Amino acid sequence: MSAPALILKPGREKSLLRRHPWVYDGAVQRVLGEPAAGATVAVRSAAGGFLAWAAYNPASRIAARVWSWHEAEVVDAALLARRIDAALAYRAALRIDSDAQRLIYGEADGLPGVVLDRYADVLVLQLTTAGAEAWREGLVDLIAERLPHCAIYDRSDAEVRALEGLPPRVGLLAGTLPEDLIIHEAGLKFRVDVVRGHKTGFYLDQRDNRRIVAAQAAGRDVLNCFAYTGAFGIHALAAGARSVLSIDSSAEALDQARAHVALNGLDGERCEWLEADVFQALRRLRDAGRRFGLIVLDPPKFAPTHQMAEKAARGYKDINLNAMRLLEPGGWLASFSCSGGVSAELFQKIVAGAAWDAGVRLRLRARLTQAADHPIDLDYPEGEYLKGLLLQRVD
Ligand code: SAH
């Protein structure tokens, strides 16, 4: 008996020949055999040529995700072990100045649907696809073998699981969680709640950007919008900011941010906290005549998909425009988008439009992206989601 297979429609093999690791359901002509969700299938062109071994999921718009491009390679625990080892070796070579790192980043590490983040001695696993779920036990064993002194916590509660027909799964998989989990980033401490925090607990992807942005903070009044647990503001304070105003709609996040000031021995007198909607708060700050020398805009995902890009564009334009109106001459704006549905090019256009409407001239001082432990493969552009513009007002 030959392995179950997906036969593609004529012409639909092109993206796979370029090593893009997804097969959309609309590209599939026929399914041979009766593969269950998560089972390994051979993907073949209409002419029958082998393209890849992939994990099948009949419930998803992405009907298959590639495990291997080589017909001779077997999809088994040994393959997963090789991929995990390569992912760990890559991070080790990065010499990241933090004990909090993304160790596995899905497709970019050849492990579709698998995310593994490390927070000191706690690992957080997030499985988001049927293929990854099918290998759950094997993955946990391989990870535990390699990092035996770490606890492993399952945070497979990302919304994208619903698109794969998977229910949320959370809970402890190995070891015990410490009462108080503290990570270290560039000499600063942050408390991470892996059970209830956003994503897997912390925004690891912004690590480099926090340092780059904080480098402009000395002596300036800083406005940290969408502050979450305050990371950008803490870095700015440590770098000598005159003051930091942090805004978030979550009182709980601001409480944690406040605690981070004390945890790092920083001056609480220089901090101001505002529990508010950023869209409204920016207008009120303008009415109050406030000005800032450094503004950070790090909003949540406005557009997960391209279909929502237009509505997201209005949101980005609004906050950027209203932030620019608060910027001192010579001041800095660090503006981010983590929307997969908004390209870097579109984002820059939106921000340029906002600057025009605000009547402010801005110079692009740096383009920012996600930290290198969230690698971007040229074959898989979807892996690039975080875009940032570091701008300086020139007049
Ligand atoms: N900059 C943070 C991450 C920001 S995550 C860091 O580096 O850690 C986005 C934050 O925006 C969340 O804390 C969420 O509570 C907040 N948020 C979402 N919508 C908001 C709104 N309209 N106004 C204010 N805060 C909002």
Side-chain angles (χ1 to χ4, degrees):
M1 266 264 311
S2 59
L6 303 188
I7 312 297
L8 302 189
K9 293 175 183 166
R12 298 302 291 269
E13 70 282 5
K14 286 200 186 97
S15 63
L16 283 127
L17 292 172
R18 294 184 172 198
R19 295 214 168 187
H20 187 270
W22 292 351
V23 179
Y24 285 101
D25 58 358
V28 178
Q29 179 89 281
R30 270 186 312 141
V31 181
L32 302 187
E34 287 178 11
T40 300
V41 293
V43 183
R44 297 187 177 278
S45 68
F50 175 87
L51 295 164
W53 295 111
Y56 178 57
N57 187 354
S60 173
R61 290 242 14 242
I62 302 172
R65 297 174 191 253
V66 173
W67 285 121
S68 168
W69 301 103
H70 306 289
E71 191 163 13
E73 197 165 39
V74 181
V75 179
D76 58 6
L79 176 137
L80 300 180
R82 290 194 297 279
R83 299 284 165 82
I84 293 171
D85 288 338
L88 296 180
Y90 169 72
R91 272 67 179 186
L94 291 176
R95 302 190 173 283
I96 295 168
D97 185 14
S98 176
D99 55 2
Q101 311 183 354
R102 175 149 296 188
L103 298 180
I104 301 176
Y105 178 45
E107 276 82 346
D109 284 304
L111 291 165
V114 182
V115 162
L116 184 71
D117 288 341
R118 176 172 192 168
Y119 297 106
D121 287 340
V122 175
L123 301 170
V124 183
L125 180 68
Q126 187 162 72
L127 304 179
T128 56
T129 61
E133 270 296 343
W135 288 98
R136 163 180 283 273
E137 275 173 39
L139 286 164
V140 173
D141 288 349
L142 291 166
I143 291 163
E145 245 171 58
R146 283 155 180 78
L147 296 149
H149 58 283
C150 288
I152 309 179
Y153 189 77
D154 187 6
R155 270 298 298 268
S156 299
D157 58 354
E159 279 172 28
V160 289
R161 274 176 70 98
L163 303 177
E164 291 273 314
L166 299 169
R169 277 181 87 162
V170 294
L172 200 59
L173 299 168
T176 50
L177 293 181
E179 279 281 300
D180 198 19
L181 176 56
I182 290 180
I183 59 127
H184 303 79
E185 180 180 282
L188 295 167
K189 293 180 209 161
F190 295 94
R191 195 169 276 129
V192 175
D193 182 349
V194 299
V195 179
R196 298 173 59 241
H198 287 187
K199 306 232 279 187
T200 62
F202 198 65
Y203 287 84
L204 297 171
D205 51 358
Q206 290 283 26
R207 183 190 316 108
D208 296 348
N209 299 331
R210 288 191 272 266
R211 187 177 40 78
I212 292 166
V213 170
Q216 306 306 334
R220 297 188 186 269
D221 294 311
V222 177
L223 175 61
N224 185 16
C225 298
F226 308 97
Y228 188 46
T229 61
F232 272 102
I234 299 295
H235 276 262
L237 274 177
R242 182 160 58 193
S243 70
V244 177
L245 167 55
S246 304
I247 309 179
D248 202 283
S249 54
S250 158
E252 208 184 329
L254 288 179
D255 282 343
Q256 291 175 45
R258 227 182 252 115
H260 282 153
V261 176
L263 182 66
N264 288 285
L266 295 165
D267 182 5
E269 300 278 298
R270 288 190 278 149
C271 301
E272 212 183 322
W273 310 97
L274 188 57
E275 180 194 337
D277 174 26
V278 167
F279 287 83
Q280 291 166 18
L282 292 173
R283 290 176 167 81
R284 285 204 296 272
L285 289 168
R286 182 163 193 244
D287 293 344
R290 298 283 297 263
R291 290 290 178 274
F292 298 91
L294 171 61
I295 301 177
V296 179
L297 290 176
D298 185 23
K301 215 185 280 170
F302 289 159
T305 63
H306 290 286
Q307 287 76 29
M308 289 161 82
E310 207 169 303
K311 182 160 176 273
R314 284 197 293 276
Y316 287 123
K317 176 142 185 205
D318 191 81
I319 53 172
N320 278 278
L321 188 152
N322 285 302
M324 288 166 188
R325 289 179 164 157
L326 302 174
L327 207 56
E328 290 167 1
W332 295 79
L333 171 65
S335 184
F336 295 96
S337 162
C338 60
S339 296
V342 174
S343 67
E345 197 186 351
L346 174 61
F347 184 58
Q348 188 173 326
K349 276 191 188 146
I350 295 166
V351 175
W356 178 255
D357 286 3
V360 174
R361 250 190 85 206
L362 293 173
R363 181 165 289 159
L364 178 59
R365 295 293 305 269
R367 278 197 177 84
L368 307 175
T369 183
Q370 62 221 45
D373 50 344
H374 302 58
I376 302 164
D377 255 21
L378 289 185
D379 298 326
Y380 177 62
E382 290 84 351
E384 179 180 9
Y385 63 95
L386 183 62
K387 302 151 283 278
L389 300 170
L390 181 63
L391 303 156
Q392 187 176 24
R393 186 169 165 185
V394 286
D395 55 13

